[in-house]
Amino acid sequence: MPIEELGSAPRSVHEGGRAVGPELALTFREAENSLKERERKVLKQAAEGLSAGDIAKRLYLSPGTVRNYLSEAIQKLEAKNRIDAIGIAEKNGWLD
């Protein structure tokens, strides 16, 4: 980060702001795009409390395909389970 920005970073953080270097910001953007559209849709349905079977009916998929999408989302988000994955995705605004 340029020295001018580096000098203002502590003040910004002290005032409640954020200071994120360009390399780190790029990492955040990449993480934001880690879930495919279908994985997000399936995860959003799971967040509503639907079972794999119910999600499958709503999205015209097989229950096995839904479980695969959920598994992929859990793996990509490095979550412990689907509840953890939903929490991570919601926290980052990826289920909107």
Side-chain angles (χ1 to χ4, degrees):
M1 137 181 317
I3 192 73
E4 300 83 26
E5 291 178 34
L6 187 59
S8 66
R11 284 187 295 278
S12 176
V13 171
H14 179 72
E15 294 169 358
R18 292 185 183 173
V20 179
E23 295 84 14
L24 189 55
L26 179 60
T27 302
F28 289 146
R29 273 188 240 117
E30 288 172 359
E32 185 174 345
N33 295 324
S34 65
L35 293 177
K36 293 178 183 174
E37 181 64 27
R38 192 61 97 165
E39 292 163 346
R40 279 192 289 262
K41 284 183 180 181
V42 168
L43 206 53
K44 186 173 183 173
Q45 300 287 314
E48 294 176 12
L50 296 175
S51 69
D54 291 335
I55 295 169
K57 288 176 188 172
R58 279 192 178 186
L59 299 179
Y60 304 103
L61 301 169
S62 74
T65 300
V66 169
R67 285 190 294 273
N68 288 342
Y69 281 130
L70 288 170
S71 179
E72 285 294 317
I74 291 166
Q75 195 172 30
K76 285 180 180 180
L77 297 175
E78 297 179 2
K80 297 174 188 157
N81 52 44
R82 80 168 63 182
I83 303 302
D84 191 28
I86 291 166
I88 292 167
E90 284 181 338
K91 179 179 137 188
N92 289 294
W94 300 337
L95 298 184
D96 298 332

